[in-house]
C-alpha cells in the first residue's frame, strides 16, 4: 500500500481532532495524553539539539570571520523581516480599526495582570548565563545559544588533534539528535490529534467571541499575517534568495502544520531543521546556526500580532495614539517579539511591555485573551516560515546550491 505523505496524515489528524473536540469533549482525556506525550518528546530534544547543532555548526565554520559574517547576515534578515511584519500589521490595524466600538466590558474577566517583568535589558543580561546547567534546566535558549557559540568557537582554537576529536564528537552527536528527531516526527499526526482536540475542547466559546465583535480584530491579524506569509516572505525568497518560494513551501508543509498545531516554534525546531536541511538542501553548517537562533529571536508573526493587539486595545479604550506613540509601539513590538519565548501564548504576555510603554491599562489584555489561542497558531506558523526563509536566504548568499 502506498504510504500517505506526512502532511496529509497531519491534515487528516487535524480534521478528526476538530470533530472530536466539538462532538466528544467529555471524552477528551482519552486522547489528550497523546498530545501531552508528543509535546514532552519534542521538548525533550530541544536543548540537546540546539546545543549540539550550534557547537558543531560553529566549530565547522572554522574562523571568527566566517562566524561574524554569518551572524551579521542572519541578524540583518531577522531584524528586517520582523520590522516589515510590524509595518504590515500597523497598516492593517489602521485601515480596519478593529477596536473602535468594542465593548470594554469584556475585559472584566481579568482581575489583575502584572506587567511582564522581563524588560529588554534583563533579556540582554540573561544572555550570559551564570550557571549553564541552570540555563539547560530552565530552557533559557539565548543563554544556551551564547554558551554554544563560544564553546564551538573555542574548539577551533585548540590543538589540531583535540580540535578534530571535539568537532567529530559534536558532529556525531548532532547526527544522533537529527535521527532521533526523525523518529519523533513519525508520531506527529497522533500527537497533533491529541493537542488540537484538547485546544478545541477548551476554546469552543471563542466562537461566540467571534460574533461578539472580535471578528474584525481577528480579521486584521489574519490579513496582515497572510500578506507577510504569502507575499512579503515569498518575494524575499524569489528576488533576494532567488529560489522558488512554492517549492520551499511544499518542503515546509508538515513543519508548518506542526507549528500551527503546537503553537510553539521551539517545539517545532527539530522538524524545521530536518525539512530545511533534507528538503530544501541548506547545509547543516547554516541551518544549525540560523534556525535555533531564529526560533528564539525571529518571530515575525508575533511581532505583527503585538503591534495589532496593542493598537486594538488603544482603540477600544478610546486612546488617540500620536505618531510618536505608534513609533514606540513599532519599536517595542520588535523588542517584545525578540524577547518572547518560543512557547504557546508567549506573545500574549509580552503585550504588557508595549501597553506599559505607551501608558495603556494592562487589563486591556483581557480583551484579546479569548481569541488568543487560534491567533497563536497562525502567528507561530508565520514565525517558523520566516525562520526557514532566513536559512534559505543566508545559504544562497553564501553561494550554496539548493534543491529548491
Ligand atoms: N507561540 C509563539 C511561538 O512559539 C510565540 C507567541 O506566543 O507569539 O512562536
Amino acid at each position: 500500500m502506498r504510504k500517505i505523505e506526512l502532511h496529509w496524515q497531519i491534515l487528516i489528524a487535524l480534521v478528526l481532532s476538530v470533530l472530536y473536540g466539538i462532538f466528544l469533549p467529555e471524552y477528551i482525556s482519552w486522547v489528550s495524553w497523546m498530545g501531552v506525550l508528543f509535546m514532552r518528546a519534542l521538548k525533550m530534544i530541544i536543548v540537546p539539539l540546539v546545543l549540539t547543532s550550534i557547537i558543531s555548526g560553529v566549530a565547522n565554520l572554522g574562523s571568527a570571520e566566517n562566524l561574524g559574517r554569518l551572524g551579521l547576515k542572519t541578524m540583518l534578515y531577522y531584524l528586517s523581516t520582523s520590522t516589515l511584519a510590524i509595518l504590515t500589521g500597523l497598516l492593517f490595524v489602521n485601515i480596519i480599526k478593529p477596536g473602535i466600538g468594542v465593548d470594554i466590558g469584556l475585559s472584566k474577566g481579568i482581575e489583575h495582570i502584572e506587567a511582564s517583568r522581563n524588560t529588554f535589558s534583563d533579556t540582554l543580561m540573561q544572555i550570559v548565563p551564570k550557571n549553564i546547567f541552570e540555563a539547560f534546566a530552565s530552557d533559557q535558549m539565548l543563554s544556551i545559544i551564547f554558551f554554544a557559540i563560544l564553546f564551538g568557537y573555542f574548539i577551533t582554537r585548540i590543538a589540531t588533534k583535540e580540535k578534530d576529536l571535539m568537532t567529530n564528537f559534536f558532529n556525531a552527536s548532532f547526527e544522533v539528535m537529527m535521527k532521533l528527531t526523525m523518529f519523533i516526527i513519525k508520531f506527529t499526526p497522533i500527537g497533533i490529534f491529541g493537542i488540537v482536540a484538547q485546544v478545541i475542547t477548551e476554546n469552543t466559546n471563542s466562537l461566540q467571541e467571534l460574533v461578539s465583535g472580535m471578528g474584525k480584530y481577528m480579521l486584521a491579524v489574519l490579513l496582515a499575517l497572510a500578506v507577510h506569509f504569502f507575499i512579503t516572505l515569498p518575494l524575499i525568497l524569489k528576488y533576494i534568495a532567488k529560489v522558488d518560494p512554492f517549492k520551499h513551501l511544499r518542503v515546509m508543509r508538515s513543519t508548518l502544520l506542526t507549528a500551527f498545531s503546537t503553537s510553539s516554534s521551539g517545539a517545532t525546531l527539530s522538524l524545521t531543521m530536518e525539512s530545511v536541511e533534507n528538503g530544501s538542501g541548506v547545509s547543516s553548517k547554516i541551518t544549525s546556526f540560523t534556525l535555533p537562533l531564529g526560533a528564539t529571536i525571529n518571530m515575525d508573526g508575533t511581532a505583527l500580532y503585538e503591534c495589532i493587539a496593542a493598537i486594538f486595545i488603544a482603540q477600544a479604550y478610546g486612546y488617540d495614539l500620536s505618531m510618536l506613540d505608534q513609533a514606540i509601539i513599532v519599536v517595542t513590538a520588535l523588542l517584545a517579539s525578540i524577547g518572547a519565548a518560543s512557547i504557546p501564548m508567549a506573545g500574549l504576555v509580552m503585550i504588557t511591555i508595549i501597553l506599559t510603554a505607551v501608558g495603556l491599562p494592562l487589563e486591556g489584555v483581557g480583551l484579546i485573551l479569548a481569541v488568543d489561542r487560534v491567533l497563536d497558531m497562525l502567528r507561530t506558523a508565520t514565525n517558523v516560515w520566516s525562520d526557514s526563509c532566513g536559512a534559505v536566504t543566508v545559504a544562497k548568499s553564501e553561494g550554496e546550491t539548493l534543491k529548491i
Side-chain angles (χ1 to χ4, degrees), residues 182-221:
M182 286 194 240
F183 172 68
I184 295 176
I185 289 176
K186 294 206 180 99
F187 298 95
T188 314
I190 303 174
I192 282 180
F193 178 80
I195 295 170
V196 177
Q198 171 89 24
V199 172
I200 298 284
T201 316
E202 281 168 2
N203 289 279
T204 27
N205 50 357
S206 56
L207 285 174
Q208 291 158 9
E209 300 288 341
L210 231 169
V211 264
S212 60
M214 295 304 282
K216 264 171 115 185
Y217 162 67
M218 292 178 82
L219 185 76
V221 178

Side-chain angles (χ1 to χ4, degrees), residues 215-234:
K216 264 171 115 185
Y217 162 67
M218 292 178 82
L219 185 76
V221 178
L222 208 82
L223 286 177
L225 282 177
V227 166
H228 192 69
F229 192 110
F230 291 110
I231 300 178
T232 312
L233 292 173

Side-chain angles (χ1 to χ4, degrees), residues 283-294:
S283 71
S284 75
K285 197 173 89 181
I286 302 225
T287 51
S288 57
F289 178 74
T290 53
L291 291 175
L293 196 65

